[in-house]
Amino acid sequence: MSNFTVRKAKKEDMVHIMKKIIELAAFEGYPEGPKITASDLERDGFESDCPYFFCIVVEQDETNKIVGYALGNYAYSSWTGRAMYLEDFYVDPELRGLRLGHKLFKEMCKMARDTGCHRIDWHCLVDNNLATKFYESHGAFDVCKAESRTCYRITNDEILNIANL
């Protein structure tokens, strides 16, 4: 069996991360969803004085192939203070069941602990039962159900319309 290492992503990993982002989008049924490029990831995560995201990867030791990743950013909660938002969490489908997701999730929780974050938030597709089971096995709960909340978003067109009023 292969050995795997979980580590912080490097700038040169972003080409591979972009491929994984596209794989995740296709898995979720949105193959045309991602609008960014590997260059955007390099710029925003590694060429900025204040990086816009963090990324950790699971790498297969023998091949140095990235087989999973978690990408997120730091946030702030008026209730708990420092927080993290997890944008993507993905392990190659053929390697699921090897506890690589657990290793990746554990490393993310260590990052949260080490940076003083008191919570991690994320979204999950309602019909992704495998992910729901995984997250709940790690103590996660559905905020929409538990706190009677819903989730909203505005995109660039609305942002520009409102900003230009």
Side-chain angles (χ1 to χ4, degrees), residues 88-105:
D88 289 352
F89 189 87
Y90 184 74
V91 173
D92 289 355
E94 67 274 10
L95 297 174
R96 294 179 187 157
L98 298 179
R99 297 192 47 83
L100 299 178
H102 172 75
K103 289 176 77 166
L104 193 57
F105 204 76

Side-chain angles (χ1 to χ4, degrees), residues 126 132 136 139-149:
V126 173
T132 300
E136 289 177 358
F141 61 92
D142 184 337
V143 176
C144 293
K145 290 179 185 174
E147 298 181 5
S148 299
R149 295 177 184 259

Side-chain angles (χ1 to χ4, degrees), residues 111-131:
M111 285 177 62
R113 177 200 64 202
D114 293 348
T115 56
C117 293
H118 299 283
R119 75 185 211 197
I120 303 171
D121 293 317
W122 65 91
H123 295 97
C124 180
L125 294 177
V126 173
D127 61 352
N128 190 341
N129 296 325
L130 186 62

Side-chain angles (χ1 to χ4, degrees), residues 45-114:
F46 299 90
E47 297 171 4
S48 173
D49 291 337
C50 183
Y52 286 88
F53 69 88
F54 62 81
C55 185
I56 50 179
V57 299
V58 179
E59 183 177 64
Q60 189 173 30
D61 292 343
E62 295 132 19
T63 63
N64 295 329
K65 179 184 175 193
I66 294 173
V67 298
Y69 76 102
L71 186 143
N73 57 70
Y74 292 99
Y76 199 81
S77 164
S78 62
W79 287 24
T80 61
R82 294 179 188 175
M84 293 171 94
Y85 179 78
L86 177 61
E87 179 68 26
D88 289 352
F89 189 87
Y90 184 74
V91 173
D92 289 355
E94 67 274 10
L95 297 174
R96 294 179 187 157
L98 298 179
R99 297 192 47 83
L100 299 178
H102 172 75
K103 289 176 77 166
L104 193 57
F105 204 76
K106 182 177 180 177
E107 188 63 28
M108 191 180 59
C109 288
K110 285 181 182 178
M111 285 177 62
R113 177 200 64 202
D114 293 348

